[in-house]
Structure formats: C-alpha cells, structure tokens
C-alpha cells in the first residue's frame, strides 16, 4: 500500500498545519508549531516526544497515516463488507474500470451542450403570445452557449453557470433543484421591459430577457455577465 502524501488530506486547515510542520527549519520552530496540535495528536495517537528537527518527518508521516488511512478504516471496512454480502465487491474487483464512473468522481469539462442539458426550459402554453416570444429566444440562448464555447472555451461557460446557479462547476451530486430557464415577460424598473437576464441562485433559475434579435440578446447577456460580481442580479 502506498504511503499517503500531503495532497491526500482534504481538510484545508489540517493540510496547512501539516505543511507548516514539514517546513520547520529549527527545532524551536518545530516545538512552537506542534504545541497547538497536542490535543489532536493525542486523540489521533500521534503524540510523540520530539528530540530533533528530523522528527518532523516522522510526525508528519504519523499524522498522514491517521488522517488518510486509520481514521476511515472502520467505515471503509463496513462498506466493503456490505458490498461483499451482495456479491458486488467481487464484480468491482473483476471489472474495476466499469465501476470507476459510479464510485470515483472526476471533474466535468463544461461544454455548450452540457450546460444546455442541465437547464429545463419552462415554456408558456402552446399557442399563446408568450410562447411565440419564448420560442424565438430559446435558439438565441443555445447560440450564445455555442459562441461562448467557441470564443472563450470553458472560462465563459463557467461564468454563465455561476451567474445562474452560484457554482462554476457541476458538483458530484449535481444540482438540487434542477437548473431551469424562465422568461422575463413582466416589466421592471418603472415600466421599461427588462433587457438583462436575472438569476435566482437559491432555486437555480435563470430568467432570460425577450429580444427579437440575437445581437441584442448577446450584447445584454455579455453586459450582465461582465458587470455582476459572482452571481445574482445586475
């Protein structure tokens, strides 16, 4: 079994503390750095008497073994036993690559098609005047995503997703509620029709303005994304 390394520690605060221990340059610095960690080290079974600066490597190794291996051994073994009781473990060991997408998360590269598939478009009833206006804007939205991908790649797609949901990437468990698109039929700001998109990140809802030309739609979308710090409303 490979020894755990610092990058395996997911806890950012503990990661930084272990890093400081490993970077100590004097024995006195090592003692001062480890003093606030005594309670954690005692609970982890890693408390040892430090006699020289070189002991920092043994201490860091002990912490890594506890945090990455021993701390989760019990739950992991129970999980393994559960899989074994149903015969799933044997299948995983026989076909590991087939099960990798189910058990191991990997970052998703954003594409125009992926973002389009994330959003449910909520259209008005068929035959209504609102439906006609909305159906004109839907192709604008998809063209805008395609242009964003072609011109700026994933960076602009991340900005679009963050504007609508508050997240610049798709999380391992997806979104809840599912992102949706609505349309701005009501008038805002003193009776003038809204030209800019509005996002409600609490419910992952993006409200698109109703424009009759793609150039106007693109210009106002770009303005909104460029003048919103983070996400929300322009």
């Amino acid at each position: 079994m490979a020894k755990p390394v610092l990058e395996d520690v997911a806890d950012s605060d503990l990661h930084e503390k272990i890093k400081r221990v490993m970077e100590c340059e004097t024995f006195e610095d090592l003692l001062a750095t480890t003093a606030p960690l005594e309670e954690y080290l005692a609970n982890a079974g890693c408390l040892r008497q430090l006699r020289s600066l070189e002991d920092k490597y043994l201490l860091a190794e002990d912490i890594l073994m506890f945090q990455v291996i021993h701390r989760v051994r019990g739950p992991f073994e129970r999980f393994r036993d559960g899989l074994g009781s149903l015969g799933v473990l044997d299948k995983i060991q026989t076909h590991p690559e087939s099960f990798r997408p189910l058990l191991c998360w990997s970052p998703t590269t954003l594409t125009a098609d992926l973002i389009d598939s994330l959003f449910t478009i909520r259209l008005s009833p068929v035959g209504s005047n609102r439906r006609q206006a909305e159906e004109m804007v839907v192709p604008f939205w998809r063209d805008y995503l395609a242009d964003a991908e072609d011109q700026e790649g994933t960076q602009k797609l991340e900005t679009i997703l963050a504007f609508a949901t508050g997240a610049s990437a798709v999380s391992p468990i997806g979104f809840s509620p599912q992102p949706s698109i609505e349309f701005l039929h009501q008038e805002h700001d003193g009776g003038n029709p809204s030209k800019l998109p509005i996002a409600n990140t609490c419910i992952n809802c993006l409200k698109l303005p109703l424009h009759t030309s793609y150039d106007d739609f693109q210009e106002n979308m770009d303005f909104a994304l460029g003048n919103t710090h983070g996400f929300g409303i322009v």
Side-chain angles (χ1 to χ4, degrees), residues 155-182:
Q155 182 176 357
K156 188 166 185 178
L157 294 176
E158 289 173 357
T159 302
I160 295 171
L161 187 61
F163 180 87
T165 67
S168 60
V170 181
S171 71
I173 60 173
F175 289 99
S176 180
Q178 186 70 21
S180 62
I181 287 178
E182 296 181 358

Side-chain angles (χ1 to χ4, degrees), residues 192-226:
N192 296 320
S194 176
K195 296 181 179 180
L196 301 172
I198 296 175
N200 185 340
T201 57
C202 294
I203 58 173
N204 299 325
C205 180
L206 175 62
K207 298 182 179 181
L208 296 178
L210 297 173
H211 291 285
T212 56
S213 75
Y214 176 68
D215 288 342
D216 289 341
F217 180 86
Q218 182 183 42
E219 179 181 351
N220 284 280
M221 288 292 294
D222 285 343
F223 181 86
L225 296 176

Side-chain angles (χ1 to χ4, degrees), residues 1-155:
M1 180 180 63
K3 291 184 178 180
V5 295
L6 184 59
E7 288 69 23
D8 294 327
V9 178
D11 186 320
S12 59
D13 183 54
L14 182 60
H15 182 284
E16 186 61 29
K17 290 177 180 177
I18 299 173
K19 183 180 179 181
R20 286 201 294 267
V21 169
M22 298 173 69
E23 292 177 346
C24 288
E25 296 183 353
T26 66
F27 182 61
E28 290 73 18
D29 188 21
L30 177 61
L31 293 177
T33 302
T34 56
L37 295 174
E38 284 189 359
E39 183 177 353
Y40 168 83
L41 295 175
N43 292 333
C46 302
L47 190 61
R48 61 166 61 233
Q49 185 176 359
L50 301 175
R51 295 184 174 86
S52 68
L53 180 61
E54 285 67 32
D55 287 342
K56 68 180 182 179
Y57 300 111
L58 295 175
L59 178 60
E61 184 177 317
D62 288 345
I63 297 174
L64 290 172
M65 284 297 295
F66 168 76
Q67 187 69 19
V68 179
I69 304 296
H70 301 316
R71 183 176 61 90
V72 297
R73 183 183 296 275
F76 176 78
E77 289 179 347
R78 290 193 294 273
F79 177 64
R80 183 191 61 189
D81 292 342
L83 292 175
S85 66
L86 299 174
V88 178
L89 182 60
D90 291 338
K91 297 297 183 182
I92 293 175
Q93 292 173 330
T94 304
H95 308 285
E97 292 305 318
S98 298
F99 283 88
R100 184 179 298 277
L102 297 175
L103 300 176
C104 301
W105 178 79
S106 59
T108 301
T109 301
L110 290 181
T111 64
D113 288 339
L114 175 59
I115 291 186
D116 184 35
S117 68
L118 288 175
F119 287 84
T120 299
I121 300 178
R122 297 175 178 171
L123 296 167
S124 298
V126 176
S128 64
N129 291 334
R130 288 191 169 195
R131 178 68 173 248
Q132 293 179 6
E134 293 165 358
E135 288 181 339
M136 180 178 292
V137 172
V138 171
F140 294 167
W141 161 248
R142 289 173 175 155
D143 288 344
Y144 186 74
L145 294 177
D147 288 345
E149 182 178 12
D150 291 341
Q151 296 169 8
E152 300 184 39
T154 58
Q155 182 176 357

